[in-house]
Amino acid sequence: MINKQNPMSLYVHWPYCEAKCPYCDFNSHVIEKVDEDDWIKAYSNQLYEYKSILDKFNIKFDSLNTIFFGGGTPSLMPIKILENILNISSKIFKFEDNIEITLEANPSSYERKKFKEIKKLGINRLSIGVQSLNDANLQFLGRKHNYKDAETAIELARNTFDNVSIDLIYAIYGQKIKDWDKELRLILNKFDLNHLSLYQLTIEEGTKFFKDYKKGLLEKVNNDLAADFFKNTEMILNEYNFNRYEISNFSKNKYESIHNLNYWNSENWIGIGPGAYGRLWCHNQESRRCEIQNYKNPKTWLAKNYRKPEFENINFFNNHETDIDTLIMGLRLSKGIEISKLFNKSIIKENRFLELEEENLIIIKDNRIKIHDDHIIKLNSILNYLIN
Ligand SMILES: C[S@@+](CC[C@H](N)C(=O)[O-])C[C@H]1O[C@@H](n2cnc3c(N)ncnc32)[C@H](O)[C@@H]1O
Ligand code: SF4
């Protein structure tokens, strides 16, 4: 049974954007006209269905401690839909007093006009997809906004919200470290931010960039340069008192994203909307992890959910799968994870773990396992080695 201290989060997926960015493989589609009432009914049906699932699996908790509206571009969500989701979820689950409610926003003029209205609904953390402060890079990334839009959006957000984060993409082929350095310092000097998510550009299968890469029209930054970008980024952020608490996330003291920490610490969360998934510790038979998946295609999801709720799948992980998932999520964190979270604690005594510990790539100490700070950039290859 989950006690008072166990966090429970809600993720809400909004799958639409103004345009599809050429690098993005998220479940995002170009916006079309939506029937607001149908979408409200579908989200609401899923929330009530989750309530029965939580009861059925004997998952008890006092209140939600975080909500995250992600996408897609949830700042494009009609206010009426946002308002209804917040009202219904607070009625069903109750909100913790200092609940963190985040919404992802784009810097375009239409969306920044809504910041005040969004704040009034109770959203208290804004995550803005700035991506770059360099107009040439913004154009390359296929973004609809320019530097001026980003600047106005950040200033307005900062005057409206106490907690503002921005996303930036770097290590773009052809970008020089000294130019990224300048861009980063400009942002840190000019804006009083609480949190930054800094992602190296990855070429994801199925995207326009992937097709261009296959045709030889686009190149990737090589690993050595990517590592230099990474080190340099961390050094600058440290100068400005930001701590890297996860591979791509930096925060001022006490401004870590509580919602994302719940994921990385393998806590409980429920997920509604197209492609969203929830993960829970279920207690109906034995302690085990289950994942509740939604239909990914927005039209299918809506058709399946607006009359009565229908999730696509509920999967139960066995103990080994649960441990693998706990490691994949937790090793992203600078602090790593508590070994006591693993079912099979002796997994860390297996040869591969011992080898990496010997090479100082991972550190196993004080009931925690973590990747050494100097090697966190190799996260994916370390995980592949440990897990495959
Ligand atoms: C769901 S998207 C953010 C929402 C919002 N629609 C936006 O784009 O501003 C989350 C973030 O992932 C990052 N991202 C997406 N695809 C990426 C890629 N291929 N390489 C690096 N970062 C990526 C972007 O920084 C983006 O802001
Ligand atoms: S990066 Fe953001 S705006 Fe661009 S397609 Fe993906 S979700 Fe939409």
Side-chain angles (χ1 to χ4, degrees):
M1 189 179 297
I2 293 179
N3 63 32
K4 238 176 158 33
Q5 281 78 43
N6 285 97
M8 174 66 83
S9 295
L10 164 64
Y11 174 75
V12 182
H13 192 79
W14 176 256
Y16 294 119
C17 297
E18 207 185 332
K20 181 78 186 175
C21 302
Y23 54 86
C24 178
D25 79 335
F26 282 81
N27 187 22
S28 57
H29 309 261
V30 178
I31 184 83
E32 44 188 84
K33 212 174 148 17
V34 295
D35 182 318
E36 294 185 14
D37 292 332
D38 282 355
W39 277 80
I40 291 168
K41 271 187 237 146
Y43 282 124
S44 162
N45 285 339
Q46 292 220 311
L47 285 166
Y48 280 103
E49 182 66 3
Y50 256 118
K51 168 81 176 116
S52 354
I53 292 175
L54 294 172
D55 288 344
K56 188 167 133 201
F57 290 158
N58 196 21
I59 299 175
K60 300 211 184 336
F61 63 101
D62 280 352
S63 49
L64 289 175
N65 81 323
T66 70
I67 300 179
F68 195 103
F69 291 93
T73 307
S75 50
L76 289 174
M77 252 171 135
I79 291 288
K80 187 172 149 195
I81 303 185
L82 276 172
E83 195 173 16
N84 271 278
I85 294 175
L86 287 167
N87 287 341
I88 297 162
S89 51
S90 107
K91 194 166 109 196
I92 303 178
F93 299 116
K94 312 265 177 306
F95 290 175
E96 202 181 274
D97 287 346
N98 50 355
I99 185 170
E100 174 195 274
I101 310 181
T102 306
L103 180 128
E104 286 182 333
N106 272 7
S108 80
S109 60
Y110 165 70
E111 289 156 88
R112 56 182 192 252
K113 274 193 205 128
K114 287 160 75 183
F115 288 178
K116 282 210 168 70
E117 236 178 321
I118 287 170
K119 167 88 187 297
K120 272 197 208 133
L121 297 178
I123 287 158
N124 51 24
R125 183 173 182 273
L126 204 69
S127 167
I128 313 175
V130 171
Q131 315 308 353
S132 174
L133 288 194
N134 170 313
D135 280 342
N137 283 345
L138 283 171
Q139 212 171 8
F140 169 75
L141 293 170
R143 300 295 297 202
K144 297 275 174 212
H145 66 272
N146 56 25
Y147 168 73
K148 200 76 209 131
D149 293 321
E151 186 185 47
T152 317
I154 301 173
E155 273 164 3
L156 194 61
R158 211 56 202 92
N159 293 332
T160 317
F161 294 89
D162 293 331
N163 194 349
V164 176
S165 175
I166 63 168
D167 288 357
L168 293 172
I169 296 182
Y170 71 108
I172 298 170
Y173 187 74
Q175 187 179 31
K176 294 197 171 63
I177 293 190
K178 72 172 175 40
D179 293 333
W180 165 239
D181 211 313
K182 224 165 104 187
E183 193 176 329
L184 205 46
R185 286 180 191 280
L186 169 71
I187 290 166
L188 295 165
N189 286 328
K190 202 170 163 79
F191 307 108
D192 177 25
L193 296 163
N194 312 93
H195 187 280
L196 289 106
S197 301
L198 306 176
Y199 303 107
Q200 297 206 346
L201 179 67
T202 52
I203 309 288
E204 305 289 347
E205 245 181 280
T207 61
K208 172 164 185 313
F209 273 5
F210 187 76
K211 283 190 202 122
D212 291 349
Y213 173 69
K214 285 281 160 200
K215 284 187 207 151
L217 300 172
L218 197 75
E219 290 187 54
K220 288 184 187 173
V221 164
N222 73 48
N223 288 347
D224 289 343
L225 184 57
D228 288 345
F229 262 110
F230 189 80
K231 270 189 238 146
N232 198 63
T233 302
E234 177 153 37
M235 195 187 74
I236 296 174
L237 268 291
N238 285 345
E239 264 179 48
Y240 287 81
N241 295 321
F242 279 87
N243 175 41
R244 185 173 59 67
Y245 67 103
E246 190 262 358
I247 183 160
S248 308
N249 283 282
F250 296 81
S251 80
K252 287 260 177 71
N253 192 21
K254 300 205 166 75
Y255 281 97
E256 292 91 355
S257 155
I258 305 171
H259 185 87
N260 287 337
L261 280 175
N262 284 353
Y263 294 159
W264 296 318
N265 283 317
S266 288
E267 303 289 0
N268 289 283
W269 71 89
I270 57 182
I272 59 171
Y277 63 90
R279 290 221 181 125
L280 300 162
W281 293 100
C282 302
H283 301 260
N284 56 339
Q285 289 167 18
E286 56 186 90
S287 197
R288 55 184 177 170
R289 194 83 165 136
C290 77
E291 181 177 90
I292 301 175
Q293 295 164 338
N294 269 297
Y295 292 98
K296 193 170 173 196
N297 179 285
K299 287 197 178 109
T300 312
W301 177 84
L302 186 67
K304 297 275 186 191
N305 283 282
Y306 84 100
R307 283 202 194 90
K308 57 177 183 48
E310 186 181 325
F311 293 106
E312 186 175 21
N313 248 321
I314 302 192
N315 291 328
F316 288 91
F317 294 178
N318 65 31
N319 292 356
H320 181 68
E321 287 162 344
T322 304
D323 283 348
I324 298 294
D325 186 56
T326 307
L327 285 166
I328 291 175
M329 301 300 267
L331 289 177
R332 305 181 63 87
L333 292 171
S334 301
K335 278 192 191 161
I337 45 148
E338 281 174 30
I339 293 164
S340 53
K341 287 214 154 147
L342 300 170
F343 278 106
N344 173 14
K345 289 159 196 56
S346 58
I347 194 173
I348 60 157
K349 296 271 180 299
E350 286 174 6
N351 282 343
R352 291 169 190 223
F353 283 81
L354 296 178
E355 254 174 57
L356 293 191
E357 193 185 9
E358 179 89 16
E359 289 172 36
N360 216 15
L361 288 163
I362 58 171
I363 300 172
I364 301 174
K365 208 172 121 190
D366 302 333
N367 184 37
R368 296 194 83 87
I369 170 167
K370 60 169 268 179
I371 296 184
H372 192 293
D373 289 340
D374 291 348
H375 300 291
I376 189 90
I377 181 108
K378 297 177 208 144
L379 172 76
N380 287 340
S381 42
I382 292 177
L383 285 176
N384 271 336
Y385 185 70
L386 289 177
I387 283 154
N388 287 331

